[in-house]
Amino acid sequence: AARPEAARPAAACPVTGPEPALFGWEFATDPYPAYAWLRENAPVHRTTLPSGVDAWLVTRYDDARQALADQRLSKDPARHAAATAARGKTGIPGEQRAGLFAHLLNIDPPDHTRLRRLVSRAFTPRRVEAFRPRVQELTDRLIDGFAARGTADLIHEFAFPLPIYAICDMLGVPAEDQDDFRDWAGMMIRHSRPGERAAPRGGVARAVKRIRAYLEELIHRKRAEAAGDDLISGLIRASDHGEQLTEAEAAAMAFILLFAGFETTVNLIGNGVNALLRHPDQLALLRAGLARGDERLLATAVEELLRFDGPVELATWRFATEPLTIGGTRVPAGDPVLVVLGGADRDPRRFTDPDTLDLTRQDNPHLGFGHGIHYCLGAPLARLEGQRALATLLTRLPDLRCAVAPEELRWRGGLIMRGLRELPVAFTPVG
Ligand code: HEM
């Protein structure tokens, strides 16, 4: 039944006022009012990104879903590079078109179809399910590290290491090398360990170089051994009509599995715990179920957290291969298009009370994992990690609370991902 106008959420009403400043500090802290303004006033909006590149932002759910599946929008950065070279600002470093960056998220069919089919044979939901006890073990071990202290930074001590160790284990990176990956991953996203200064910018290129050398060596060794049951061995063996991945393709695949599944999962846990701590009624609901040993709410809770404050901000680059129309707006060939998942997932045209966190929400076809042929390959692993992380934290630390006011939280302003720099929490120490 139609609800009275006054009871409708603010975003369902016309959003008036001047165009909000995009990409500043306020936007990094809470982009949702700006997304609401764009959705209502300029749903397909051309803007200049901080990098100087002009791009279209798509913020309505239907337009976003359609654009994610539109194969006239290419994922290959070379398309953009070619189209904008004349303007002298591609914003895409040369390395991103080759080597480790020639991975699923940067290629189109038919190469994408072939590589995705091959990796899907190795990275199966069954393999992920078999990994459940290991994820639980990792989760418990990390909590053991701070449980007796009564305080922690949940990003550095929990959300950051969990997905790195999990995917390293799954890929078959030996335990003694996993801390190197933790450091390289930190350099890639300029995270530092507690007490250290943020890694310098040039660190990204250095980290990529070290990861490449390491993965090439590891793949070479595993190919020689040929018998492992880890994911890299599975990738090497996977074949399709007699066709196999080359060592370079396997390295690019391992790289994207490491990094597509890393910062995203950090942010699922960080944004998710933060949202729960800010919504005591929803937190109490989830805790009450967990205290009874009832985990039924966990699945819808994780989906709702992905919708409400998902990990991916603008990391959905696509490039128009021909002139096309999105939501009635003409987009010229060569232009970059960024699907704003956080805008789409708060669209009142699709979601009831979109600005309300409702862990019991059933009708929730959110776009947090994307849509179409590039739909997140790691969604089963991300869901497993997110569910184990939340359930274990809330069960083992039953009075977990945020140690700072919301306005003191610092968000990473990278635009690619939405996530916290740190999440200080407090709780009664447990032995
Ligand atoms: C693709 C989100 C975790 C591997 C994507 C896309 C999104 C996404 C939105 C599509 C991007 C686009 O269409 O432009 C997430 C979120 C995660 C997560 C929110 C965590 C909460 C993971 C994990 C892995 C992974 C754990 C692997 C270990 C991938 C890969 C692709 C992908 C390989 C590319 C698929 C393709 O192009 O065919 N992810 N992801 N992701 N994700 Fe995830």
Side-chain angles (χ1 to χ4, degrees):
R3 280 170 297 152
E5 194 68 22
R8 293 173 70 189
C13 307
V15 179
T16 52
E19 183 180 337
L22 296 174
F23 316 132
W25 178 85
E26 218 171 300
F27 178 84
T29 304
D30 180 10
Y32 297 105
Y35 292 159
W37 189 95
L38 286 173
R39 234 176 11 238
E40 303 313 318
N41 298 295
V44 182
H45 177 63
R46 193 178 160 103
T47 189
T48 302
L49 302 176
S51 61
V53 174
D54 291 333
W56 296 88
L57 302 182
V58 179
T59 43
R60 283 189 185 172
Y61 183 88
D62 285 348
D63 297 340
R65 199 174 141 92
Q66 206 179 336
L68 288 170
D70 190 332
Q71 304 225 356
R72 295 170 301 171
L73 288 171
S74 164
K75 290 287 289 171
D76 180 356
R79 298 274 189 171
H80 178 229
T84 54
R87 280 180 260 155
K89 49 176 185 183
T90 68
I92 314 275
E95 166 137 49
Q96 292 206 11
R97 281 169 251 143
L100 291 185
F101 290 95
H103 57 60
L104 286 177
L105 275 173
N106 282 340
I107 55 174
D108 297 322
D111 282 343
H112 177 269
T113 321
R114 180 178 67 87
L115 289 180
R116 175 123 185 174
R117 207 161 44 211
L118 278 166
V119 69
S120 304
R121 303 227 154 147
F123 193 39
T124 57
R126 221 170 76 202
R127 186 186 284 273
V128 173
E129 196 42 45
F131 199 56
R132 177 178 290 268
R134 182 66 186 134
V135 171
Q136 185 63 55
E137 209 178 298
L138 279 171
T139 308
D140 277 314
R141 196 184 79 200
L142 290 168
I143 297 176
D144 289 344
F146 55 78
R149 211 167 62 220
T151 59
D153 171 4
L154 272 195
I155 300 297
H156 283 100
E157 296 179 74
F158 185 68
F160 179 76
L162 178 63
I164 272 288
Y165 292 139
I167 192 68
C168 278
D169 259 10
M170 198 172 221
L171 284 168
V173 174
E176 63 272 21
D177 297 341
Q178 294 190 2
D179 279 332
D180 286 342
F181 269 93
R182 183 182 166 148
D183 290 344
W184 296 333
M187 285 161 84
M188 296 263 317
I189 66 165
R190 307 185 74 236
H191 248 295
S192 53
R193 291 194 190 195
E196 289 175 359
R197 289 183 32 235
R201 279 196 186 280
V204 176
R206 267 203 309 282
V208 170
K209 225 166 131 178
R210 288 190 200 151
I211 294 165
R212 178 167 51 212
Y214 182 88
L215 287 177
E216 280 170 3
E217 216 276 308
L218 185 67
I219 287 168
H220 209 63
R221 215 166 56 217
K222 287 191 183 285
R223 175 160 273 172
E225 288 164 5
D229 66 355
D230 54 80
L231 185 52
I232 287 191
S233 301
L235 284 174
I236 294 169
R237 278 197 303 270
S239 73
D240 188 47
H241 301 299
E243 207 183 359
Q244 290 188 307
L245 292 175
T246 63
E247 283 194 10
E249 284 171 340
M253 195 67 83
F255 179 75
I256 187 64
L257 290 175
L258 269 163
F259 289 98
F262 158 53
E263 197 177 353
T264 45
T265 312
V266 178
N267 295 344
L268 166 59
I269 299 170
N271 299 4
V273 171
N274 178 51
L276 285 173
L277 298 181
R278 311 271 166 225
H279 292 80
D281 60 322
Q282 295 297 297
L283 179 61
L285 193 66
L286 186 56
R287 269 191 181 136
L290 293 171
R292 290 194 307 271
D294 178 355
E295 295 202 340
R296 277 174 303 181
L297 193 57
L298 260 186
T300 51
V302 166
E303 298 313 302
E304 176 67 346
L305 293 168
L306 283 162
R307 182 197 72 80
F308 184 76
D309 200 6
V312 175
E313 187 124 54
L314 297 180
T316 57
W317 283 87
R318 279 154 172 74
F319 309 96
T321 57
E322 56 185 85
L324 51 98
T325 303
I326 305 176
T329 301
R330 200 83 184 132
V331 173
D335 272 17
V337 173
L338 302 179
V339 176
V340 183
L341 304 179
D345 282 344
R346 297 269 193 127
D347 188 343
R349 292 164 190 77
R350 181 61 192 83
F351 297 97
T352 312
D353 296 336
D355 294 324
T356 301
L357 180 74
D358 173 6
L359 301 186
T360 66
R361 191 182 290 271
Q362 297 292 333
D363 177 25
N364 185 7
H366 67 79
L367 299 177
F369 286 126
H371 172 65
I373 63 168
H374 292 280
Y375 179 82
C376 180
L377 186 69
L381 178 59
R383 288 184 166 120
L384 172 63
E385 290 181 58
Q387 292 179 15
R388 291 335 306 155
L390 290 182
T392 314
L393 271 178
L394 298 181
T395 309
R396 289 193 55 188
L397 311 174
D399 64 348
L400 183 77
R401 55 198 181 271
C402 201
V404 298
E407 58 279 9
E408 288 176 57
L409 285 176
R410 291 190 308 140
W411 292 82
R412 301 171 61 79
L415 276 188
I416 306 291
M417 299 285 173
R418 170 162 169 80
L420 288 163
R421 288 183 188 279
E422 62 259 316
L423 180 53
V425 291
F427 49 87
T428 304
V430 281

